[in-house]
């Protein structure tokens, strides 16, 4: 992949894919691409992103992992999976958390580089977690979503020795040079960090 060539806007790709997304409740239980036994986080369901939307790597040996980046999808859970599985989308995250029940899908192995931060250096050094919802619709940030996401983040931090603080658990908006605002003003960082601190492997 030519790193010098700018990538399409992640927000534009995610929002565009929502038009073609099938509601999650209408999808069959055994969707194509679902596999078992390959997840890094035991509670997750494997929903592989396209190979065209990630970079194979051997992290943390090849690139040290020193932070978690929190995102909000700006579309539905099903629409986000559809985007990640579209080989032309050129976007992915390691994990996706569903709003209603906190269900976690893993889309990229933690050892590989997901394309979520918009900056190569931050992609190589982070684990990206998308959350179903919209930055201006706080009702999507459910207690269950916060709880299950915090457990996931705590597990990642424990496994890679990442401090559980706001210097190492950041929002997409905090990535240098980004034009993104997620997770937005309605994301409750105090609540989230408290839950991360209470969680452990």
């Amino acid at each position: 992949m030519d790193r010098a060539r700018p990538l399409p806007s992640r927000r534009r790709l995610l929002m565009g894919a929502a038009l073609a997304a099938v509601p999650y409740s209408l999808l069959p239980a055994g969707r194509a691409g679902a596999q078992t036994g390959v997840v890094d986080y035991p509670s997750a369901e494997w929903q592989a992103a396209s190979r065209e939307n990630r970079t194979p790597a051997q992290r943390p040996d090849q690139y040290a992992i020193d932070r978690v980046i929190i995102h909000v999808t700006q579309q539905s859970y099903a629409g986000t999976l559809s985007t990640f599985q579209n080989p032309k989308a050129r976007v992915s995250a390691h994990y996706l958390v569903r709003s209603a029940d906190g269900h976690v899908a893993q889309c990229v192995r933690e050892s590989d580089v997901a394309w979520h931060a918009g900056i190569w250096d931050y992609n190589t050094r982070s684990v990206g977690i998308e959350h179903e919802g919209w930055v201006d619709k706080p009702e999507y940030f459910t207690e269950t979503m916060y709880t299950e996401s915090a457990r996931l983040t705590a597990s990642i931090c424990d496994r890679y020795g990442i401090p559980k603080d706001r210097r190492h658990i950041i929002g997409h908006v905090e990535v240098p040079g980004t034009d993104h605002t997620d997770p937005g003003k309605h994301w409750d960082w105090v609540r989230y960090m408290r839950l991360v601190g209470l969680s452990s492997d």
Side-chain angles (χ1 to χ4, degrees), residues 85-106:
Q85 293 166 358
N86 176 356
K88 296 181 180 179
R90 301 182 66 155
V91 65
S92 64
H94 294 94
Y95 293 99
L96 170 63
V97 184
R98 193 161 58 203
S99 172
D101 58 3
H103 179 76
V104 176
Q106 182 169 1

Side-chain angles (χ1 to χ4, degrees), residues 11-186:
R11 186 176 302 277
R12 181 166 52 85
L13 288 167
L14 288 175
M15 292 177 71
L19 298 174
V22 177
Y24 180 77
S25 60
L26 299 180
L27 292 172
R31 298 191 305 279
Q35 301 175 26
T36 59
V38 296
V39 295
D40 296 301
Y41 181 63
S43 300
E45 171 193 18
W46 181 246
Q47 287 291 331
S50 169
R51 294 178 182 178
E52 303 300 319
N53 296 334
R54 59 179 174 79
T55 300
Q58 294 296 324
R59 303 190 316 163
D61 295 334
Q62 187 175 359
Y63 302 106
I65 299 173
D66 66 3
R67 66 198 59 216
V68 175
I69 300 180
I70 302 299
H71 302 268
V72 172
T73 62
Q74 293 299 106
Q75 69 166 333
S76 70
Y77 177 89
T80 304
L81 287 179
S82 177
T83 298
F84 290 171
Q85 293 166 358
N86 176 356
K88 296 181 180 179
R90 301 182 66 155
V91 65
S92 64
H94 294 94
Y95 293 99
L96 170 63
V97 184
R98 193 161 58 203
S99 172
D101 58 3
H103 179 76
V104 176
Q106 182 169 1
C107 304
V108 176
R109 293 298 305 269
E110 291 174 11
S111 59
D112 291 337
V113 178
W115 300 351
H116 61 99
I119 294 177
W120 180 244
D121 178 56
Y122 273 71
N123 282 341
T124 62
R125 67 196 299 181
S126 64
V127 174
I129 305 176
E130 286 280 2
H131 297 80
E132 178 186 25
W134 286 260
V135 295
D136 59 348
K137 296 181 179 179
E139 62 270 23
Y140 277 86
F141 305 152
T142 64
E143 181 65 33
T144 304
M145 172 186 272
Y146 276 121
T147 299
E148 295 307 317
S149 175
R151 287 179 181 159
L152 170 60
T153 293
S155 174
I156 293 164
C157 290
D158 289 341
R159 285 183 280 118
Y160 296 102
I162 302 171
K164 296 175 184 176
D165 61 36
R166 285 285 285 115
R167 287 188 59 223
H168 297 88
I169 302 169
I170 66 172
H172 193 179
V173 67
E174 296 168 283
V175 173
T178 188
D179 62 352
H180 292 257
T181 62
D182 58 309
K185 66 181 181 179
H186 297 296

